[in-house]
Amino acid sequence: MADYKALYQEVILDHNKKPRNYGTLEHPSHHAEGHNPLCGDHLSVALQLQGETIDQIAFHGESCAICKASASMMTAAVKGKTRADAQALTQEFLAMATGKLDLNQPNQIGRLAVFAGVRDLPTRVKCAILPWHTLQAAFNSQGTASTEA
Amino acid sequence: MNARLPDMTPAARATGFDVERVRADFPILQIEVEGRPLVYLDNAASSQMPQPVMDRLVRYQSTEHANIHRAVYTLSERATTAYEEARRQLQRFINAPDEREVIFTSGTTEAINLVMHGYGRKFIKAGDEIILTTLEHHSNIVPWQMLAEETGAIIRVLPINDAGELCLDEFEPLFNARTKLVGVSHVSNALGSINPIKQMIALAHRHGVPVLVDGAQAVPHLAVDVQDLDCDFYAFSGHKLCGPTGIGVLYGKAELLEKMQPFKGGGDMILSVSFEKTVYNTIPHKFEAGTPPIAAAIGLGAAVDYLSAIGMDSIAQHEHALLQYATGQLGALPGLRLIGTASNKAAVLSFTLDGIHPHDIGTLLNQDGIAVRTGHHCAQPVMTRFKVPATTRASFAFYNRMAEVDALVAGIRSVQKMFA
């Protein structure tokens, strides 16, 4: 029996209540909107690249606790990282959320491991990965990301 | 199948309905989910199937199955007889005057699309108008938008008030000489509002306009009499009615069905085919191209007989008691906002909790074995009207117990505690 309540650990509830980097940037170099058409969730991610380094990042939107906490922890994790490092971390996060990452092997996941439990909740995986897809859309300047793409 | 009336509890004896006896017919209600007894409160999405319906499906597949309306051998005749008997069972269930007016479809969505293609594409032209309501499920919006896009017809929308009731005063002013069709749900899937469709149909008919009723959420919960309503079309699904998925019904008045064009072309819907000229079959077969879901239709026939044996009035009475109890219990919870408070309602409770997203509520209630629907319920205009992105919806059936309302309330309290 999967204990879904374990997924809602203190850390996720804390980030849901007090999201980090929540808001907008005045002049972002990159930004994108993310949508989950199945639940109507949306969030926008804006960032300021200084060369190849993420100097500033912010997000805002309407979403569930898992999505909001994932966005909050994502922004905290990638701030100060290079685009390449952020993209590598994104790949690891997506792999973890879909149960394809061996957490016993060396990785950069760190505190983001609290989201590993979503792999047992197929309907909620999309909530956790939406911010990361939106970050990639921002890098690629696609403008919008969707969980149904 | 007889209603199971003996051995009732004293409470049940007063109402003539014993929920525990009914529950014994549903194997799935005995299972556990996440180590807790299943509390199934998503009946507006799909209902569960009682053993007599499953038995009927097994009997059909074991002893009667062949293709229908085709061959002369015994099995094919048995299958054809059983399929056409199912049509008569459905006819009786909604009190249709003529069995030819009962068309089997894959469900409500296909039934509405059938009317759009068969009636709309033939009779609705550029500048003509279709009246819908804010309460409609996407399946009674999107087909008409597709038609409007194709033909240049115009969609006008009857709004709802803050309780989720149709603004009836604004209905008649929507009519004019170009009005060609009214599409309205009998019961709202998102809010449970029961619409005054008999009154609306009479008004539309005074303007010479036919009415299509989306009855998907009504037939499982109240006695529907299409002759009393005088509706022109009535659509519903089998799987919300204790029947199988993949089967539904379009009732239509014969005079309308006869002048409509076929929806899908193929076998069974023709009388003769040559490359020079094809003659279409008579109704209802004109609209049932190809091999239909025979077993599903027969299963649905068994399902409506099962419900009739219990009695739709008893079902409505029990569900109303559940609605009243649940409305009182949920309404007393701080931070809970009920969306949809129509004075005439089916047992559907849509709600939001302050500061907690419906998907988090749904996931956490599941941990307690409670199945509810979360999201926009395929009724985004309703969500927009109430300025919420989504709600949590508990929808009851006649096999739900009062104790399941208590389980839901306890579950909500525990979610609120986690997020406090």
Side-chain angles (χ1 to χ4, degrees):
Chain A
M1 183 185 86
D3 184 0
Y4 307 152
K5 281 180 181 166
L7 177 63
Y8 286 81
Q9 299 175 42
E10 289 302 321
V11 59
I12 290 183
L13 291 169
D14 173 59
H15 277 265
N16 176 58
K17 203 180 282 183
K18 292 179 297 213
R20 322 297 196 261
N21 303 304
Y22 192 82
T24 54
L25 297 183
E26 212 157 297
H27 300 293
S29 58
H30 297 73
H31 82 280
E33 303 286 324
H35 297 277
N36 182 346
L38 292 182
C39 59
D41 284 357
H42 71 92
L43 82 160
S44 80
V45 172
L47 55 104
Q48 182 67 49
L49 278 185
Q50 203 75 271
E52 278 297 296
T53 303
I54 300 171
D55 186 45
Q56 293 183 71
I57 183 164
F59 82 99
H60 70 276
E62 286 287 328
S63 65
C64 65
I66 290 175
C67 182
K68 193 186 260 185
S70 175
S72 172
M73 292 180 71
M74 174 188 79
T75 58
V78 301
K79 198 170 182 178
K81 278 196 163 62
T82 63
R83 179 206 299 249
D85 285 347
Q87 284 175 330
L89 182 59
T90 300
Q91 291 315 313
E92 284 195 348
F93 187 90
L94 297 181
M96 176 182 72
T98 48
K100 292 176 192 134
L101 184 72
D102 182 355
L103 285 168
N104 296 318
Q105 297 298 314
N107 62 66
Q108 302 300 313
I109 285 292
R111 285 160 57 87
L112 294 165
V114 295
F115 291 99
V118 292
R119 64 174 174 242
D120 299 323
L121 292 170
T123 54
R124 303 306 303 277
V125 169
K126 289 171 178 175
C127 309
I129 66 179
L130 180 61
W132 299 84
H133 277 305
T134 311
L135 176 65
Q136 292 313 302
F139 281 137
N140 300 335
S141 293
Q142 286 169 347
T144 59
S146 170
T147 56
E148 302 307 297
Chain B
M1 158 80 223
N2 292 319
R4 294 160 174 254
L5 296 176
D7 304 332
M8 292 189 294
T9 61
R13 213 167 281 127
T15 59
F17 176 85
D18 185 347
V19 69
E20 297 307 323
R21 296 288 300 183
V22 165
R23 289 179 69 84
D25 287 336
F26 289 81
I28 208 167
L29 298 180
Q30 326 303 326
I31 70 167
E32 291 195 341
V33 168
E34 302 303 327
R36 306 285 293 272
L38 171 67
V39 175
Y40 186 74
L41 301 178
D42 194 18
N43 295 286
S46 201
S47 55
Q48 300 299 345
M49 186 183 282
Q51 191 65 48
V53 176
M54 295 183 206
D55 292 345
R56 184 66 190 92
L57 292 171
V58 170
R59 180 155 66 89
Y60 169 74
Q61 295 293 168
S62 309
T63 65
E64 297 166 311
H65 174 67
N67 211 331
I68 56 167
H69 301 145
R70 304 272 198 291
V72 294
Y73 54 83
T74 303
L75 268 189
S76 179
E77 282 175 9
R78 269 187 208 165
T80 304
T81 302
Y83 180 74
E84 291 303 326
E85 174 54 25
R87 196 188 305 281
R88 285 186 289 275
Q89 288 169 307
L90 270 300
Q91 178 203 349
R92 285 193 292 274
F93 186 64
I94 57 170
N95 194 32
D98 187 334
E99 65 190 83
R100 297 178 308 135
E101 295 173 312
V102 175
I103 298 160
F104 283 121
T105 66
S106 68
T108 307
T109 297
E110 192 183 67
I112 293 170
N113 276 273
L114 193 165
V115 177
M116 187 277 267
H117 284 275
Y119 187 85
R121 294 180 79 191
K122 186 164 181 187
F123 297 110
I124 298 176
K125 310 288 181 203
D128 286 346
E129 299 187 2
I130 300 160
I131 300 175
L132 303 175
T133 86
T134 302
L135 282 179
E136 298 318 299
H137 186 282
H138 293 167
S139 62
N140 202 21
I141 298 174
V142 181
W144 305 112
Q145 288 176 323
M146 291 165 72
L147 181 72
E149 197 169 314
E150 179 185 317
T151 62
I154 295 157
I155 293 170
R156 307 191 73 184
V157 183
L158 178 64
I160 51 175
N161 63 22
D162 290 341
E165 297 163 323
L166 294 176
C167 298
L168 222 50
D169 293 348
E170 299 177 40
F171 188 42
E172 186 147 30
L174 290 175
F175 286 85
N176 60 46
R178 302 303 303 266
T179 309
K180 287 286 152 57
L181 186 75
V182 173
V184 59
S185 50
H186 195 167
V187 173
S188 155
N189 75 306
L191 306 180
S193 319
I194 301 177
N195 296 320
I197 58 163
K198 188 176 176 182
Q199 195 183 337
M200 294 172 73
I201 291 163
L203 194 149
H205 286 175
R206 284 203 294 279
H207 291 269
V209 177
V211 179
L212 159 69
V213 180
D214 169 359
Q217 299 294 338
V219 283
H221 307 295
L222 44 99
V224 169
D225 180 335
V226 293
Q227 293 190 65
D228 178 58
L229 292 170
D230 197 27
C231 52
D232 301 279
F233 299 104
Y234 197 99
F236 58 97
S237 297
H239 71 96
K240 297 186 198 290
L241 205 49
C242 298
T245 53
I247 188 75
V249 165
L250 175 71
Y251 158 80
K253 286 180 176 169
E255 65 199 75
L256 290 173
L257 294 175
E258 270 160 0
K259 64 182 189 183
M260 282 159 58
Q261 61 191 14
F263 169 34
K264 297 187 287 190
D268 225 25
M269 56 77 73
I270 48 81
L271 286 179
S272 68
V273 174
S274 73
F275 282 102
E276 287 69 42
K277 183 172 172 59
T278 288
V279 179
Y280 299 136
N281 206 337
T282 52
I283 62 167
H285 310 294
K286 182 168 86 172
F287 297 108
E288 293 180 1
T291 299
I294 307 167
I298 292 165
L300 179 56
V304 297
D305 278 5
Y306 174 84
L307 294 172
S308 297
I310 293 170
M312 291 311 296
D313 290 335
S314 296
I315 285 172
Q317 206 177 350
H318 176 70
E319 291 182 1
H320 189 68
L322 284 166
L323 172 69
Q324 283 191 309
Y325 182 59
T327 303
Q329 293 295 303
L330 265 64
L333 290 172
L336 186 145
R337 175 188 173 204
L338 279 174
I339 309 285
T341 49
S343 58
N344 197 11
K345 250 186 91 166
V348 173
L349 288 100
S350 233
F351 63 89
T352 58
L353 292 182
D354 288 348
I356 313 177
H357 191 282
H359 279 170
D360 297 319
I361 300 168
T363 294
L364 291 166
L365 288 178
N366 181 58
Q367 188 69 27
D368 294 331
I370 303 170
V372 293
R373 172 80 186 273
T374 55
H376 53 57
H377 317 297
C378 297
Q380 285 181 324
V382 175
M383 301 296 114
T384 304
R385 170 63 177 75
F386 286 97
K387 298 186 173 66
V388 293
T391 71
T392 303
R393 180 187 69 185
S395 55
F396 293 82
F398 60 97
Y399 45 66
N400 286 124
R401 304 161 158 147
M402 297 293 172
E404 292 177 303
V405 175
D406 297 333
L408 174 64
V409 170
I412 293 170
R413 280 186 195 281
S414 124
V415 174
Q416 286 180 316
K417 212 170 138 193
M418 265 187 90
F419 275 77

